[in-house]
Amino acid sequence: MTSNQTSGNADRRKAAGTAVERYVCDEYNLQADHSGRADAAYANGTPVEIKAALRRKSDGRGGTKEGEFAVFESAHRWLRRNDGYYIFAVYRFRGRGVQVLETKRVHASNLPYFTFNESKHPGRGRDDREARFKISQIF
């Protein structure tokens, strides 16, 4: 287990993701949607998936590397069918909270070229593959 996979850090990252979602909902005037399909929606019902990435993350060898966004195949296909958007947010830890550094809205059909690979996230089924984007690929 690398240092960024300990339960304390996982809890901190989960809390950061929740804080970033709240920030993005306020910033883009979205309604949180925890129905299981999308993170939020515009007033007209257009779904939005919010993706957060830590600006710099552990490389597992004592250094750091650029953060990444993970897009999951089943959610991506659903978002495309429903003409939805992604809002990507880059954050850093600041004191006991998070600071959102930048955000960007991208239509689900306008992501950079990618392929789906087996998911690196524990607990996700083998049938839910993922694509990973470095922050610099989106911004």
Side-chain angles (χ1 to χ4, degrees):
M1 196 183 291
T2 61
S3 63
N4 66 347
Q5 292 176 327
T6 61
S7 65
N9 283 337
D11 291 343
R12 188 174 186 207
R13 287 192 316 271
K14 184 176 181 178
T18 301
V20 170
E21 278 188 24
R22 270 190 250 119
Y23 173 89
V24 168
C25 284
D26 288 346
E27 226 19 58
Y28 286 84
N29 199 25
L30 301 171
Q31 301 298 315
D33 177 6
H34 299 288
S35 64
R37 278 300 188 179
D39 294 320
Y42 285 101
N44 67 2
T46 301
V48 176
E49 186 69 16
I50 300 168
K51 295 294 177 181
L54 188 58
R55 180 178 57 177
R56 302 292 301 170
K57 67 180 194 171
S58 170
D59 66 2
R61 296 178 296 227
T64 62
K65 64 181 181 178
E66 181 179 11
E68 297 176 317
F69 300 103
V71 170
F72 295 96
E73 186 174 24
S74 60
H76 178 70
R77 292 191 188 289
W78 183 87
L79 206 59
R80 291 270 323 248
R81 280 193 309 271
N82 289 279
D83 200 29
Y85 289 87
Y86 287 99
I87 296 180
F88 295 97
V90 179
Y91 72 94
R92 69 178 180 160
F93 290 109
R94 184 139 179 133
R96 303 192 102 205
V98 297
Q99 177 185 17
V100 175
L101 302 170
E102 58 186 328
T103 62
K104 183 175 184 181
R105 186 179 87 145
V106 178
H107 192 273
S109 64
N110 289 334
L111 292 179
Y113 176 79
F114 65 94
T115 57
F116 287 107
N117 300 300
E118 188 173 329
S119 177
K120 296 179 183 177
H121 283 293
R124 293 198 76 98
R126 290 184 65 110
D127 57 337
D128 198 7
R129 301 178 318 151
E130 71 180 8
R132 289 190 168 261
F133 297 96
K134 291 184 185 301
I135 291 171
S136 59
Q137 290 178 277
I138 301 295
F139 290 88

